[in-house]
Amino acid sequence: MSYMPVQCEIQTPVGVLFASAEDGAIIGLSTEDPGFSRGDDPLFDLLRAELDGYFAGKRQVFDLPLSLRGTAFQRRVWEALARIPFGEVRTYGEIAEEIGSPAASRAVGMACHRNPVLLLIPCHRVIGSGGRMTGFGCGIGMKETLLALEGHSVSKSNKKKAWDKLL
């Protein structure tokens, strides 16, 4: 049985997120409105609770059913991102190596950009070589805020700004 996707808005410390669900799975979590009909899905309550736990520092892993649409390459990248532990980071090159495509760091960056479920697949944990904060569709400020929330050290000036935004 196929259902039409529905969406809801979720208020978070980093702004409004738009969640989408279809057929018993989360299909999207973004800062951009996907334009689906507003609706209710029991998954939205679970998602809110898990996000609340994450932002309160009590949850490090999300446990929701996901249905991700993407190419085989994108899926390999997203699976690798999902394995990055809370509070740790990897470079685009390290992800490319992990998925067996060592020359594909730019393509890894594009797959990160196309990640349909912000936070749930932690693309914010991928940084540039040498520790540079690069490439995040929601802005470097949000990336630094999320990494600071997870206890990853960002530059001292940016860490204070990141925490100030969250509080």
Side-chain angles (χ1 to χ4, degrees), residues 5-28:
V6 293
Q7 76 174 41
C8 74
E9 291 181 18
I10 299 176
Q11 296 291 331
T12 75
V14 294
V16 175
L17 298 180
F18 295 90
S20 308
E22 180 181 43
D23 290 336
I26 299 293
I27 61 169

Side-chain angles (χ1 to χ4, degrees), residues 67-80 111:
S67 179
L68 307 180
R69 296 177 180 115
T71 66
F73 180 83
Q74 288 169 336
R75 288 172 169 275
R76 286 193 345 254
V77 170
W78 299 336
E79 288 167 5

